[in-house]
């Protein structure tokens, strides 16, 4: 009889422990919706962008098809993927499911260097391109979406131990005239200019590009976790916090998304991955 009670208590204890763990560690992603009005956007219809970062192959808890179906429900015009996308062990079935389900949606991917400072392989890059995904790494492109002309500039990530000045010079050399063309609004006033950056602390470079909207990954590493020091860090970077995913950098609006790259032993308390839906609208005069 005692054994049954002991087993029952153990069962209750394990159940409560599991409930507590699920409460602390959010295993599912959050969908966050934000609206942004700007005088620089001239589209007659609002532009809806879905932002995802560091998907890294996904997993059974963040299935590619389910996320794709959610993106479809949001009726977005463009999906932006930033950071690491492919699993280091080749477990990419969730990425494939995500892309296959959204085959009719314009997708732009800005890759980052992985932890070994490696770029995505030529075969994976070719596979993405053949699937219709636009891969931008220190490059630019122009898309006509929802009746609006978008000028997109994709910035790759900084190499390990690379100085910020060296990084900026390398990016500018890779882009060449794209930087000049992007900032010359006299040539194309109707285009809406967006920076997509895998490097989330290139604030000086963002300012030089003079784009209205910046999409990037969540600040990490460079930002200190203590609340007061974190506020001081943002002040030093020139960032004014608007919401938990948006910041103001002088005249530029910056949106960040927390990535899916957490890992089994890297779960962050109360910090689930994010799918950020940004609705850009013409400023009402």
């Amino acid at each position: 009889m005692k054994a049954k009670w002991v087993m029952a208590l153990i069962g209750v204890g394990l159940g409560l422990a599991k409930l507590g763990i699920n409460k602390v560690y959010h295993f599912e992603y959050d969908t966050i919706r934000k609206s942004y009005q700007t005088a620089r956007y001239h589209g007659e219809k609002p532009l809806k962008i879905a932002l995802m970062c560091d998907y890294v192959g996904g997993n059974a808890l963040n299935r590619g098809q389910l996320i794709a179906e959610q993106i479809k429900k949001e009726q977005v015009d463009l999906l932006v993927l930033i950071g690491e996308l492919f699993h280091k062990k080749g477990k990419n079935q969730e990425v494939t499911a995500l892309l296959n389900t959204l085959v009719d949606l314009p997708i732009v991917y800005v890759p980052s260097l992985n932890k070994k400072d490696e770029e995505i392989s030529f075969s994976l890059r070719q596979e993405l391109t053949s699937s219709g995904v636009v891969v931008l790494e220190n490059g630019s492109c122009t898309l006509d979406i929802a009746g609006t002309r978008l000028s997109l500039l994709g910035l790759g990530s900084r190499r390990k131990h690379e100085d910020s000045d060296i990084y900026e010079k390398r990016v500018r050399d890779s882009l060449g005239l794209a930087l000049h063309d992007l900032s010359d609004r006299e040539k194309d006033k109707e285009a809406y200019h967006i920076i997509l950056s895998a490097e989330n602390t290139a604030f000086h470079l963002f300012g030089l590009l003079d784009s209205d909207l910046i999409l990037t990954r969540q600040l990490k590493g460079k930002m200190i976790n203590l609340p007061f020091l974190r506020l001081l860090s943002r002040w030093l970077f020139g960032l004014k916090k608007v919401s938990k995913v948006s910041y103001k950098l002088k005249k530029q609006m910056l949106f960040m998304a927390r990535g899916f790259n957490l890992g089994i032993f890297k779960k962050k308390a109360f910090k689930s991955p994010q799918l950020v839906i940004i609705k850009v609208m013409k400023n009402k005069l």
Side-chain angles (χ1 to χ4, degrees):
M1 190 69 178
K2 283 185 177 180
K4 288 184 178 180
W5 276 106
V6 170
M7 294 302 294
L9 288 173
I10 290 173
V12 171
L14 290 174
L16 290 173
K18 184 178 179 182
L19 180 64
I21 290 171
N22 286 336
K23 183 70 176 176
V24 173
Y25 297 121
H26 292 273
F27 293 117
E28 297 180 353
Y29 64 92
D30 285 339
T31 301
I32 299 174
R33 300 169 185 85
K34 293 293 178 182
S35 296
Y36 173 49
Q37 289 186 355
T38 172
R40 292 189 180 182
Y41 179 70
H42 300 289
E44 291 300 322
K45 296 180 180 179
L47 174 70
K48 290 187 75 174
I49 305 171
L51 173 63
M52 279 179 59
C53 299
D54 293 322
Y55 189 54
V56 197
N59 53 43
L61 295 168
N62 293 300
R63 292 176 56 195
Q65 185 175 356
L66 293 181
I67 295 175
E69 293 296 342
Q70 176 63 31
I71 292 172
K72 278 187 173 182
K73 287 181 183 177
E74 298 291 339
Q75 297 182 321
V76 301
D77 303 301
L78 173 68
L79 170 61
V80 173
L81 300 171
I82 297 177
E84 293 185 65
L85 182 62
F86 298 104
H87 197 282
K88 63 182 179 181
K89 294 183 179 178
K91 298 178 181 179
N92 296 317
Q93 58 267 28
E94 299 303 335
V95 176
T96 302
L98 175 75
L99 298 179
N100 286 345
T101 309
L102 298 173
V103 67
D104 296 325
L105 181 69
I107 301 175
V108 177
Y109 172 48
V110 180
S112 67
L113 301 172
N114 61 25
K115 292 179 181 178
K116 295 182 179 179
D117 238 20
E118 297 171 344
E119 299 178 350
I120 61 171
S121 66
F122 176 77
S123 59
L124 288 175
R125 187 186 295 267
Q126 205 170 33
E127 186 178 334
L128 283 171
T129 304
S130 62
S131 301
V133 177
V134 178
V135 181
L136 288 182
E137 187 174 19
N138 297 336
S140 63
C141 73
T142 303
L143 300 177
D144 290 311
I145 297 177
T148 303
R149 188 174 176 82
L150 301 181
S151 178
L152 304 173
L153 186 66
L155 307 182
S157 59
R158 191 182 307 184
R159 300 183 187 281
K160 194 174 183 180
H161 306 306
E162 184 177 31
D163 182 78
S164 58
D165 292 336
I166 296 175
Y167 163 76
E168 183 177 316
K169 184 180 184 305
R170 177 170 62 84
V171 171
R172 289 171 67 87
D173 289 344
S174 299
L175 289 170
L177 293 176
L179 291 176
H180 175 72
D181 292 340
L182 186 70
S183 61
D184 190 354
R185 300 186 182 279
E186 294 301 320
K187 290 183 180 179
D188 196 352
K189 290 184 178 180
E190 296 303 313
Y192 186 60
H193 302 270
I194 305 175
I195 296 173
L196 315 174
S197 179
E199 175 56 47
N200 51 16
T201 57
F203 303 114
H204 179 62
L205 187 56
F206 294 158
L208 292 176
L209 298 177
D210 191 35
S211 184
D212 189 45
L213 182 64
I214 304 165
L215 305 180
T216 186
R217 303 187 288 176
Q218 188 190 44
L219 284 170
K220 55 184 178 181
K222 300 289 184 182
M223 297 294 280
I224 304 170
N225 289 324
L226 295 176
F228 172 75
L229 294 179
R230 188 166 61 235
L231 180 64
L232 179 62
S233 297
R234 286 206 307 268
W235 177 77
L236 290 173
F237 284 138
L239 287 174
K240 180 182 178 182
K241 190 172 183 180
V242 180
S243 72
K244 62 180 180 179
V245 299
S246 61
Y247 296 82
K248 197 80 174 179
L249 179 63
K250 294 184 179 179
K251 295 181 179 180
Q252 298 166 301
M253 180 63 77
L254 188 149
F255 285 90
M256 299 178 177
R258 188 183 301 122
F260 288 71
N261 187 13
L262 297 178
I264 299 297
F265 301 106
K266 297 179 183 177
K267 299 290 183 185
K268 297 180 181 179
F270 304 109
K271 292 185 177 181
S272 58
Q274 295 170 337
L275 171 65
V276 181
I277 309 296
I278 303 140
K279 186 178 181 181
V280 183
M281 298 176 290
K282 186 163 54 176
N283 202 13
K284 296 178 181 178
L285 300 177

